[in-house]
């Protein structure tokens, strides 16, 4: 989210509060309200409830979802969501079982394989030109001309290792693994205490 937002507005900042849980409505609401009180104008989440879009709705700000499509339930706040289509994995795993093969512990697919996708953009909320900008980015990401983690990009991970990507330099990741190795907190992201 952050790098995409920053590609449109270089002054974009991101505040993160970890809940430490996947589904805790009370904590998610509390932290979402704390972010609103800091002046955040878009909320996002990677948790299991609709507490954050509710807070966004109550405060007249935007929301982008992750792994859930809240657009039908929260039509006045949800811009877009990312989602995962697990059908290709289920098909793969079932074919392994039926053929007697073991299922690899590390399995992944890419955006171009339609395993990950964007829900429809809520054009009634989006700024003019957003749809075209998103379509261009998706096209470039799909054809490989756009890399998410390309420089200039600076940051630091929890081990104290420094990320210093120069202009157009791309972070080299083992991209065919299910858990990417990119673990840097990029400049412009602030982790807030719980």
């Amino acid at each position: 989210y952050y790098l995409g937002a920053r590609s449109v507005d270089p002054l974009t900042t991101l505040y993160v509060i970890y809940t430490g849980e996947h589904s805790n409505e009370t904590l998610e609401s509390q932290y979402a309200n704390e972010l609103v009180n800091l002046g955040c104008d878009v909320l996002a989440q990677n948790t299991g409830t609709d507490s954050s879009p509710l807070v966004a709705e109550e405060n007249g700000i935007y929301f982008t979802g992750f792994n859930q499509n809240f657009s039908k339930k929260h039509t006045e706040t949800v811009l877009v969501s990312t989602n995962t289509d697990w059908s290709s994995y289920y098909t793969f795993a079932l074919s392994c079982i039926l053929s007697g093969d073991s299922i690899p512990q590390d399995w992944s697919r890419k955006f171009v394989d339609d395993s990950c996708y964007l829900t429809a953009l809520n054009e009634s909320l989006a700024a003019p030109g957003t749809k075209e900008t998103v379509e261009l980015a998706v096209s470039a990401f799909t054809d490989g001309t756009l890399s998410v983690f390309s420089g200039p990009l600076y940051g630091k991970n929890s081990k104290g290792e420094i990320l210093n990507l120069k202009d157009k330099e791309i972070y080299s990741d083992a991209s065919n693994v299910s858990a990417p190795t990119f673990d840097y907190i990029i400049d412009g992201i602030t982790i807030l205490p719980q």
Side-chain angles (χ1 to χ4, degrees), residues 22 25 27 36 38 41 51 56 59 76 78 83 105 128 136 139 145 157 160 186 189:
H22 189 261
E25 291 181 8
L27 202 54
V36 170
L38 285 172
D41 52 10
S51 297
N59 288 279
E76 299 304 312
V78 176
N83 217 331
Q105 292 295 310
L136 285 172
S139 177
T145 58
N157 67 14
I186 302 165
I189 297 176

Side-chain angles (χ1 to χ4, degrees), residues 82-139:
T82 58
N83 217 331
T84 303
D85 179 354
W86 288 98
S87 62
S88 60
Y89 176 74
Y90 296 143
T91 301
F92 170 77
L94 185 57
S95 69
C96 287
I97 291 168
L98 293 174
S99 67
D101 295 329
S102 62
I103 301 171
Q105 292 295 310
D106 196 6
W107 183 92
S108 69
R109 289 296 177 262
K110 299 179 181 183
F111 187 80
V112 296
D113 300 318
D114 293 327
S115 293
C116 303
Y117 62 93
L118 292 174
T119 61
L121 177 68
N122 186 341
E123 293 183 60
S124 68
L125 297 177
T130 300
K131 181 181 179 187
E132 295 78 13
T133 301
V134 169
E135 288 171 350
L136 285 172
V138 167
S139 177

